[in-house]
């Protein structure tokens, strides 16, 4: 969703509410993640004392494989983000979002933010025992004697 910020840059106190969803088809090409629900995005963009702020929350559900036992499971996430938006910038600075022609592409910003926030390790539960390194049985469901017999 492209948002024009011309009015927000020019009027102190101006505010714009944001509430929409990024469809699952739009995020379907992201490797390793299957979005079960659309990414719900709610927040606002506002000008406080001449500085434009973007604050929003994303909520979504993913289907992922456990990194220990390889079982598929669904997990729901909710993340909060805030950024300062500028119309131009001298040099490189990752602390700000630069509006391209007084507008920003909010879908691109939100998807980048949520991907950077996702955990690097997905566990179906905190105490997941994983798979036996010898026979491959799921140690959450059964106990094998492979490790005991090698000791």
């Amino acid at each position: 969703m492209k948002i024009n910020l011309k009015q927000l840059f020019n009027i102190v106190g101006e505010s714009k509410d944001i509430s929409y969803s990024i469809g699952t088809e739009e995020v379907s090409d992201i490797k390793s993640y299957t979005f079960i629900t659309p990414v719900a995005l709610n927040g606002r963009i506002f000008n406080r004392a001449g500085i434009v702020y973007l604050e929003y929350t994303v909520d979504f559900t993913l289907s992922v494989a456990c990194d220990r036992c390889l079982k598929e499971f669904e997990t729901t996430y909710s993340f909060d983000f805030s950024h300062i938006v500028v119309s131009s910038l001298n040099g490189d600075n990752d602390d700000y979002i630069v509006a391209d022609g007084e507008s920003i592409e909010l879908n691109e910003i939100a998807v980048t933010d949520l991907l950077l926030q996702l955990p690097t390790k997905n566990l179906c539960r905190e105490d997941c025992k994983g798979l036996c390194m010898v026979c491959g049985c799921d140690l959450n469901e059964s106990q094998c004697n492979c490790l005991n017999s090698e000791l």
Side-chain angles (χ1 to χ4, degrees):
M1 171 180 241
K2 195 168 197 159
I3 298 179
N4 188 318
L5 302 176
K6 183 176 184 173
Q7 192 171 357
L8 283 159
F9 281 129
N10 294 327
I11 303 172
V12 174
E14 185 69 17
S15 177
K16 181 183 256 186
D17 290 332
I18 304 164
S19 182
Y20 74 99
S21 294
I22 301 171
T24 54
E25 67 283 347
E26 215 173 313
V27 289
S28 64
D29 61 340
I30 298 172
K31 304 275 189 247
S32 304
Y33 297 107
T34 303
F35 287 79
I36 302 299
T37 63
V39 177
L41 194 143
N42 293 293
R44 69 187 190 122
I45 303 173
F46 57 97
N47 182 328
R48 183 183 311 149
I51 299 172
V52 176
Y53 295 89
L54 166 63
E55 294 179 348
Y56 65 95
T57 300
V58 292
D59 299 295
F60 57 95
T61 302
L62 287 178
S63 175
V64 293
C66 178
D67 287 327
R68 289 186 187 157
C69 70
L70 304 180
K71 279 191 180 170
E72 291 282 328
F73 68 100
E74 292 182 7
T75 184
T76 300
Y77 293 102
S78 180
F79 299 126
D80 296 319
F81 301 103
S82 66
H83 298 284
I84 295 175
V85 183
V86 295
S87 58
S88 64
L89 191 62
N90 295 333
D92 288 339
N93 192 328
D94 291 336
D95 294 336
Y96 304 107
I97 294 176
V98 180
D100 182 30
E102 296 184 333
S103 64
I104 57 172
E105 181 56 55
L106 195 51
N107 289 11
E108 184 180 312
I109 294 167
V111 170
T112 300
D113 281 345
L114 73 86
L115 288 175
L116 290 171
Q117 196 69 28
L118 286 172
T120 55
K121 188 172 217 168
N122 295 303
L123 299 178
C124 59
R125 59 183 203 231
E126 224 22 69
D127 64 341
C128 178
K129 296 176 184 174
L131 303 175
C132 172
M133 293 185 296
V134 178
C135 70
C137 84
D138 187 343
L139 298 173
N140 296 309
E141 296 177 358
S142 62
Q143 187 64 32
C144 67
N145 292 320
C146 296
L147 295 177
N148 292 335
S149 65
E150 287 192 2
L151 297 176

